Amino acid sequence: MIANNLVLSGEVVKQPRFSTSPAGISHCQFSIDHRSVQQEAGLNRQAFVRIQVVASGELSHLTRELCSGDKVNVSGFLNRHESRNGNPILVLHAQQIEMIN
């Protein structure tokens, strides 16, 4: 089995957008910023990631209270989407979202 798991903590930077698919599945999309210092080759390196998050089904209902500035832990899997102009985007499909105090 090939693994595709990601856990990332960050701050919500785009207000969540809600939609419903033609199949009737609810979706929530938002973006988070992750900033940290990581060790690489024995040196400190600043890491910065902004990634789009998609929460679907029951999980999308739990995101209704998310606001810009909220800190969250998101775990899920990565998938490739395409932007409107055809550029590839990596998206984190959430399977669990936890608020961080």
Side-chain angles (χ1 to χ4, degrees):
M1 183 165 157
I2 298 173
N4 179 354
N5 301 317
L6 178 67
V7 177
L8 194 64
S9 59
E11 182 176 321
V12 177
V13 292
K14 287 192 176 179
Q15 198 64 25
R17 286 189 350 227
F18 297 92
S19 62
T20 303
S21 74
I25 299 171
S26 56
H27 300 283
C28 174
Q29 294 181 5
F30 59 97
S31 294
I32 62 171
D33 278 356
H34 166 87
R35 295 177 191 275
S36 63
V37 177
Q38 302 294 318
Q39 285 280 316
E40 183 177 39
L43 300 171
N44 286 339
R45 179 182 182 132
Q46 296 288 326
F48 171 71
V49 175
R50 176 172 286 176
I51 191 164
Q52 182 177 335
V53 178
V54 173
S56 299
E58 287 300 315
L59 191 56
S60 72
H61 298 297
L62 301 175
T63 61
R64 295 256 179 228
E65 296 179 16
L66 281 182
C67 297
S68 291
D70 286 347
K71 294 180 178 21
V72 293
N73 279 328
V74 180
S75 60
F77 63 92
L78 292 174
N79 194 30
R80 180 184 181 274
H81 288 212
E82 284 191 10
S83 67
R84 287 187 176 98
N85 58 6
N87 291 329
I89 301 170
L90 278 181
V91 175
L92 175 54
H93 284 257
Q95 295 172 311
Q96 183 174 0
I97 300 173
E98 296 176 56
M99 297 293 289
I100 301 172
N101 294 331

